Amino acid sequence: MMEAQKYVWEGAIPLQIHLHESEVTTLPPPLPALILAPRIGYLPLLIPHIKPHFNSTLPPGVDTVWFEYKGLPLKWYIPTGVLFDLLCVEPERPWNLTVHFRGYPGNILIPCEGEDSVKWSFINSLKEASYIINGNCKNVMNMSQPDQVELWHSVFNGNLEAYLKVSSKLKLGTAGHEYSANLNSGSFVSRQSTGDTDATGQVKTGRVPVRLYVWGVSEDFDDLEDAPQIDSWDKISYINRPVEIHGEEGKCFTLLDAVKSLLPEHFQYKSLTNEESSKEEGEDEQKVPSEEGGENLSEDVESCYPSDNAEVKLVRIQGIEPKLEIPFSWVVHNLMNPEHFLHICVCLKVSQVKIPSDG
Amino acid sequence: MDISSWDGTISLAEFHVAARALVEKWKRVSSASPPWSWVSCPKQPWVASHEVEGYLSLENIILVSIKEEHDELLSFPQKEETSCSDKEESIDIATLSQSDRDEICYYDLHIVYSASYRVPVLYFRVYYSDGEPLEFEDIKKHLPAHSAKTLLDSKWTFITQEEHPYLKRPWYKLHPCGTGEWMKLLFQGDVSLARNGAAIEVYLISWLSFVGQVVGLRIPYEMLNQL
């Protein structure tokens, strides 16, 4: 289904960017810059468009640009759309950000030297996704120079057609592509996977690159605007772990199954609580949580309500809250980012929120 | 473990076993040098608490510029070597030998499991005695000369600055892309490992003996001793 992918690639967040007051040296202070930021893009790529707007008022010195939202320095390697979905629970339009050209917080943020840093971060993520899907990064590492350039440019420019053309050479078919194969997508992407296939050639098992951003609230809220603001990265658990798909005959692996497999503790069935707690630590392998998820697929979705610990308030991907019963393979195929990671923002209501102390 | 079909990667549970083995053996073999320790990480209540999460840590150590000894390090230590007298020195990783322009710098080394690559990953920080971190250009000067050489293929030892998965601060990381491959090669070349069935116990030690060379960490030869 080309449509959804197209919408994702065309999606953009209107930004209103204010220069930090400490860097304003002229009166009257400059007006904020207004810019449309592609969802699948990255903030540093906007700098060439923003800088001219503030150039004349900056204090002397070398530019070390960084962005901030309500005091929180923004991690530049996280796609803009994900930052927005995560930090702006009640979507703010335009999204008001502050830009700094001085005083880079190098103890918190990884250095960014403009487009090159973003490009290499993207390519490294793509390598990681490739490794997860195929068990090696060869296809990315062996890309010809022109192809690499073409790939990056297609992302930079938000050109889906160009992207699909060059990325198809990477053979990054994901597990569970049987769903996308069934759709009349007119797909011009040839997809392969190294997962096990059954007699019909449909992929049953494999690993899917996912980045999960989880944050908890201790008090319930009905309206998003009442949701508490995230004011520290410590409040977000970043889980960079592939989802393992173990396809089962006649059963569909849903988005809910995927989220459950990454947050197994939280999805305890009340009836199985005793079994869960008797599991030995250290015996557990990565696969165990999703195997449990596989066993429990026969349960109704409704009954997968969590133990007293936590309750899912929100699952947001590319700015939408998909129904959790949607086949995971559809979600991946259509909502993933160009580096082949699916970024999922999850808000849980927990009985007690602890902030881990810094090591 | 069936070495012939193994792809060189390990599970999280196997990583824990290997980590324990590394910590214990290191303590036994080189009690004089700073120990590796396991750091457990506290987690938010919604993240699976039945899984043990953490990393191995070796901090505040001085690694010398060992350009003169690169020949020794290029070959993997053979178990047949019995002359131990000149191996004594290798145990003491705090040996200092300063050249004119060298300053003493300290390393923090962390070994973190990567769920994506299914292998251990080395994260490190380098700083002067006053705690000030080194610029990447200066770090490159301090790394052993052979790090830049083709033996350690740039594909495997590509160094990037990334956020430490637990400490959430910028650290240097050795890119893990080829690790599975060369771990498989390492083990395939050693038939006795396959027979012993103790491959996991020595996985991290073997891994570290290779990866450690990038930053100049020397593994005491006794660590690799199977007996």
Side-chain angles (χ1 to χ4, degrees):
Chain A
M1 221 196 220
M2 255 271 290
E3 303 286 308
Q5 259 188 319
K6 209 157 145 290
Y7 283 127
V8 166
W9 274 64
E10 288 171 1
I13 321 279
L15 303 182
Q16 182 162 246
I17 304 196
H18 310 255
L19 180 63
H20 192 259
E21 55 190 5
S22 68
E23 296 178 18
V24 178
T25 62
T26 57
L27 281 176
L31 290 172
L34 294 168
I35 191 167
L36 259 187
R39 268 198 159 270
I40 55 152
Y42 302 86
L43 289 175
L45 301 180
L46 304 173
I47 294 168
H49 302 283
I50 299 169
K51 166 109 205 236
H53 195 89
F54 297 122
N55 219 2
S56 51
T57 188
L58 290 176
V62 177
D63 288 344
T64 51
V65 189
W66 56 287
F67 295 86
E68 166 225 311
Y69 177 57
K70 292 194 175 167
L72 186 69
L74 300 183
K75 301 188 182 185
W76 55 264
Y77 47 87
I78 298 180
T80 306
V82 179
L83 286 173
F84 182 65
D85 290 343
L86 188 59
L87 301 176
C88 225
V89 180
E90 169 71 1
E92 188 186 298
R93 291 195 165 91
W95 191 24
N96 285 288
L97 297 183
T98 304
V99 68
H100 297 249
F101 286 81
R102 306 280 181 268
Y104 198 88
N107 57 331
I108 303 172
L109 292 185
I110 303 167
C112 179
E113 277 136 42
E115 189 189 329
D116 268 355
S117 296
V118 182
K119 182 179 92 168
W120 285 107
S121 170
F122 169 83
I123 294 198
N124 279 330
S125 293
L126 186 63
K127 277 194 211 167
E128 190 180 337
S130 172
Y131 195 95
I132 291 167
I133 296 166
N134 290 329
N136 64 73
C137 320
K138 291 191 183 125
N139 50 3
V140 179
M141 309 244 272
N142 294 337
M143 269 184 108
S144 71
Q145 185 64 3
D147 277 349
Q148 247 194 52
V149 169
E150 178 65 18
L151 182 71
W152 174 243
H153 281 169
S154 71
V155 174
F156 186 94
N157 296 321
N159 186 342
L160 177 60
E161 205 180 304
Y163 170 80
L164 288 174
K165 203 159 141 213
V166 66
S167 72
S168 63
K169 299 183 192 178
L170 292 174
K171 306 273 189 270
L172 284 173
T174 49
H177 80 293
E178 68 271 12
Y179 189 85
S180 48
N182 287 340
L183 296 173
N184 181 16
S185 63
S187 169
F188 41 84
V189 177
S190 79
R191 289 178 175 257
Q192 293 177 11
S193 172
T194 55
D196 296 335
T197 58
D198 67 3
T200 65
Q202 300 204 349
V203 179
K204 290 295 199 181
T205 64
R207 304 203 304 157
V208 177
V210 172
R211 288 182 169 161
L212 198 69
Y213 308 80
V214 189
W215 52 291
V217 293
S218 47
E219 282 163 21
D220 210 337
F221 56 89
D222 289 319
D223 291 322
L224 291 178
E225 61 195 22
D226 298 328
Q229 182 64 43
I230 295 176
D231 55 7
S232 157
W233 289 106
D234 293 333
K235 291 189 176 160
I236 299 174
S237 292
Y238 170 60
I239 300 177
N240 182 26
R241 191 185 308 164
V243 166
E244 310 220 0
I245 297 190
H246 301 268
E248 287 194 22
E249 204 53 61
K251 288 173 193 160
C252 184
F253 190 81
T254 65
L255 174 59
L256 180 63
D257 294 327
V259 175
K260 271 169 58 182
S261 72
L262 294 175
L263 298 172
E265 173 94 338
H266 143 67
F267 283 99
Q268 289 180 24
Y269 287 74
K270 291 201 160 116
S271 59
L272 294 178
T273 308
N274 291 337
E275 284 181 41
E276 297 276 342
S277 55
S278 71
K279 275 226 173 289
E280 300 292 346
E281 70 166 24
E283 305 281 11
D284 289 340
E285 295 198 21
Q286 292 282 62
K287 281 193 185 155
V288 173
S290 43
E291 275 169 9
E292 289 173 339
E295 281 168 5
N296 293 327
L297 270 176
S298 53
E299 304 273 343
D300 286 348
V301 169
E302 285 73 40
S303 69
C304 117
Y305 267 94
S307 57
D308 307 313
N309 271 358
E311 180 196 322
V312 179
K313 294 297 296 181
L314 195 66
V315 174
R316 188 176 279 169
I317 305 173
Q318 299 291 7
I320 62 178
E321 281 111 59
K323 286 197 198 300
L324 298 179
E325 309 88 73
I326 294 180
F328 186 56
S329 59
W330 186 94
V331 175
V332 173
H333 180 69
N334 290 285
L335 303 183
M336 71 176 182
N337 275 56
E339 80 287 11
H340 275 260
F341 269 90
L342 182 72
H343 300 256
I344 307 178
C345 299
V346 178
C347 176
L348 299 177
K349 178 186 159 297
V350 290
S351 45
Q352 193 191 4
V353 178
K354 283 180 283 192
I355 312 295
S357 52
D358 281 339
Chain B
M1 176 195 299
D2 176 12
I3 299 280
S4 56
S5 62
W6 180 52
D7 63 0
T9 66
I10 56 175
S11 69
L12 181 62
E14 287 169 335
F15 173 73
H16 293 148
V17 171
R20 262 199 300 273
L22 172 67
V23 170
E24 280 161 20
K25 193 157 192 194
W26 186 280
K27 222 184 293 182
R28 256 188 298 132
V29 161
S30 55
S31 49
S33 43
W36 280 95
S37 58
W38 176 262
V39 179
S40 273
C41 295
K43 295 202 307 220
Q44 298 287 8
W46 53 79
V47 184
S49 65
H50 64 273
E51 274 178 20
V52 174
E53 278 226 32
Y55 56 91
L56 284 169
S57 164
L58 182 64
E59 294 188 352
N60 266 309
I61 54 165
I62 301 168
L63 298 176
V64 294
S65 163
I66 39 183
K67 297 176 182 14
E68 339 57 85
E69 307 195 43
H70 73 275
D71 289 323
E72 214 178 306
L73 284 165
L74 290 185
S75 60
F76 291 112
Q78 303 300 314
K79 278 187 289 306
E80 303 86 69
E81 279 174 348
T82 51
S83 56
C84 289
S85 50
D86 44 339
K87 302 291 185 289
E88 295 293 323
E89 221 195 320
S90 68
I91 294 174
D92 180 8
I93 59 177
T95 308
L96 301 180
S97 65
Q98 286 179 279
S99 70
D100 295 342
R101 293 176 51 210
D102 274 3
E103 263 196 59
I104 299 180
C105 50
Y106 294 79
Y107 283 69
D108 288 346
L109 305 180
H110 288 181
I111 304 178
V112 181
Y113 180 75
S114 163
S116 300
Y117 290 94
R118 295 171 43 92
V119 293
V121 180
L122 184 73
Y123 285 81
F124 65 94
R125 269 192 341 135
V126 195
Y127 44 95
Y128 296 109
S129 44
D130 62 359
E132 198 194 311
L134 268 73
E135 297 291 333
F136 188 53
E137 287 309 309
D138 295 324
I139 294 182
K140 283 202 277 200
K141 289 184 201 144
H142 273 275
L143 292 178
H146 59 254
S147 286
K149 294 192 175 125
T150 49
L151 176 81
L152 295 175
D153 195 317
S154 61
K155 284 193 298 189
W156 301 332
T157 58
F158 184 54
I159 298 172
T160 54
Q161 213 172 359
E162 285 188 26
E163 188 173 275
H164 190 293
Y166 296 109
L167 302 182
K168 309 288 190 209
R169 290 288 182 270
W171 276 63
Y172 288 97
K173 163 183 152 178
L174 286 199
H175 209 267
C177 206
T179 300
E181 267 178 61
W182 55 256
M183 283 306 292
K184 183 180 167 89
L185 286 174
L186 204 64
F187 275 59
Q188 277 182 338
D190 193 331
V191 179
S192 68
L193 268 179
R195 278 200 227 115
N196 265 342
I200 278 303
E201 306 266 314
V202 297
Y203 184 97
L204 258 184
I205 297 166
S206 309
W207 173 86
L208 192 58
S209 71
F210 195 68
V211 158
Q213 292 183 44
V214 176
V215 293
L217 176 70
R218 298 158 74 189
I219 311 298
Y221 290 117
E222 280 76 359
M223 287 290 290
L224 296 156
N225 198 325
Q226 290 302 314
L227 301 173

